[in-house]
């Protein structure tokens, strides 16, 4: 079945460091891919998305490129801030006939000043 | 983007009582709503999918008699935790999606409701 695998956290970085959070998926066809962010005590906010191969989603300095050949959707940011500390979830929506999302386990990011 | 609200944002109830959580789509018609449960420092676990006017479809292992879901209108779904016990304490998150216009195909998440059962 379809699945999403995220790198284990927590990830601890200094402010202004480069961030990569790996996400790979298993799915048939061309799923839509998403990154969500969850701040402490809050729900999920859509960070960015991509709906077809080679699409690049970007928002607030974060980027991720839909790589069909490697079945990956890694999240990157060139310079993280303390305010980026949160849990990041990679998710996919399968190609066919369902609105259900499949979530990764989440990666906790802590940015130190 | 489309906006989804939840009420209450947090609730404390006594063991054996029931508690209702509301999920509303504020600016679009939500034909499908999802209810998730999140344990501390864990991912979201899908509990059930509800379509407006139909019975909810529960995921395997979720007790439908304990977690009653009603989706009576295109903007409102409710989750009622019946005869709550401390092990039901959790963070409950809803999401909504539509099939046309705003809110189409993507899930838009509510801010979550923290339930504590004492």
């Amino acid at each position: 079945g379809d699945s999403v695998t995220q790198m284990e956290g927590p990830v601890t970085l200094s402010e202004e460091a480069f961030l990569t959070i790996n996400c790979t998926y298993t799915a048939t066809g061309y799923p839509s891919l998403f990154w969500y962010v969850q701040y402490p005590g809050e729900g999920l906010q859509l960070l960015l998305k991509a709906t077809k191969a080679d699409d690049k989603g970007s928002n607030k300095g974060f980027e991720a490129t839909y790589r069909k050949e490697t079945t990956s959707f890694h999240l990157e940011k060139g310079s993280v801030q303390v305010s980026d500390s949160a849990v990041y979830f990679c998710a996919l929506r399968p190609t066919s006939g369902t609105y259900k999302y499949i979530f990764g386990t989440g990666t906790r990011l802590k940015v130190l000043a | 983007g489309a906006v989804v609200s939840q009420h209450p944002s947090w609730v404390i109830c006594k063991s054996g009582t029931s508690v209702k959580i509301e999920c509303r789509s504020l600016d679009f018609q939500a034909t499908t709503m999802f209810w998730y449960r999140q344990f501390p420092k864990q991912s979201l676990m899908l509990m059930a999918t509800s379509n407006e006017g139909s019975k909810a479809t529960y995921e395997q292992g979720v007790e439908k008699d304990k977690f009653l879901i009603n989706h009576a209108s295109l903007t409102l779904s409710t989750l009622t935790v019946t005869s709550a016990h401390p092990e039901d304490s959790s963070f409950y998150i809803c999401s909504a999606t539509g099939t046309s216009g705003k809110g189409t195909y993507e899930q838009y998440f509510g801010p979550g409701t923290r339930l504590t059962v004492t």
Side-chain angles (χ1 to χ4, degrees):
Chain A
D2 297 348
S3 66
V4 174
T5 302
Q6 271 183 254
M7 63 186 287
E8 293 269 343
V11 173
T12 303
L13 296 174
S14 298
E15 206 165 24
E16 299 184 2
F18 185 87
L19 168 71
T20 300
I21 300 178
N22 290 338
C23 172
T24 57
Y25 68 91
T26 302
T28 55
Y30 291 86
S32 296
L33 301 173
F34 305 86
W35 276 101
Y36 283 87
V37 59
Q38 184 179 33
Y39 298 101
E42 298 183 12
L44 271 66
Q45 299 176 28
L46 178 64
L47 184 59
L48 52 84
K49 66 179 181 181
T51 57
K52 60 182 187 294
D54 299 325
D55 265 3
K56 178 187 280 188
S58 61
N59 186 26
K60 299 180 182 178
F62 291 89
E63 293 183 340
T65 301
Y66 189 144
R67 301 282 188 202
K68 181 70 173 172
E69 63 276 14
T70 54
T71 62
S72 64
F73 193 54
H74 304 321
L75 182 68
E76 296 181 336
K77 187 174 185 183
S79 175
V80 293
Q81 305 300 313
V82 173
S83 57
D84 294 325
S85 298
V87 180
Y88 293 82
F89 291 94
C90 184
L92 72 81
R93 183 172 69 84
T95 309
S96 61
T98 175
Y99 299 124
K100 287 185 182 181
Y101 282 16
I102 296 169
F103 283 91
T105 52
T107 302
R108 184 174 300 275
L109 170 66
K110 185 173 182 179
V111 181
L112 303 176
Chain B
V3 181
V4 175
S5 70
Q6 276 184 247
H7 178 80
S9 55
W10 59 271
V11 57
I12 301 172
C13 71
K14 292 187 176 180
S15 188
T17 62
S18 296
V19 62
K20 180 184 287 188
I21 302 170
E22 293 185 348
C23 177
R24 293 182 185 273
S25 58
L26 299 185
D27 55 356
F28 69 102
Q29 293 188 326
T31 49
T32 303
M33 287 185 168
F34 302 86
W35 286 96
Y36 296 85
R37 183 173 179 177
Q38 186 179 32
F39 292 100
K41 298 185 179 181
Q42 294 190 27
S43 189
L44 282 72
M45 180 191 80
L46 179 64
M47 300 174 65
T49 303
S50 72
N51 294 299
E52 184 264 338
S54 302
K55 288 185 178 180
T57 302
Y58 291 81
E59 296 297 304
Q60 192 171 9
V62 177
E63 298 177 62
K64 60 182 180 182
D65 294 331
K66 181 166 190 62
F67 298 100
L68 301 179
I69 291 171
N70 183 277
H71 190 168
S73 78
L74 285 171
T75 59
L76 174 64
S77 176
T78 59
L79 167 67
T80 301
V81 183
T82 63
S83 186
H85 290 284
E87 56 266 30
D88 299 324
S89 299
S90 194
F91 194 55
Y92 293 88
I93 302 175
C94 75
S95 70
T97 188
T99 57
S100 65
K102 194 172 188 179
T104 301
Y105 302 128
E106 286 182 25
Q107 288 190 32
Y108 294 88
F109 288 82
T113 296
R114 181 160 305 283
L115 169 64
T116 301
V117 184
T118 61

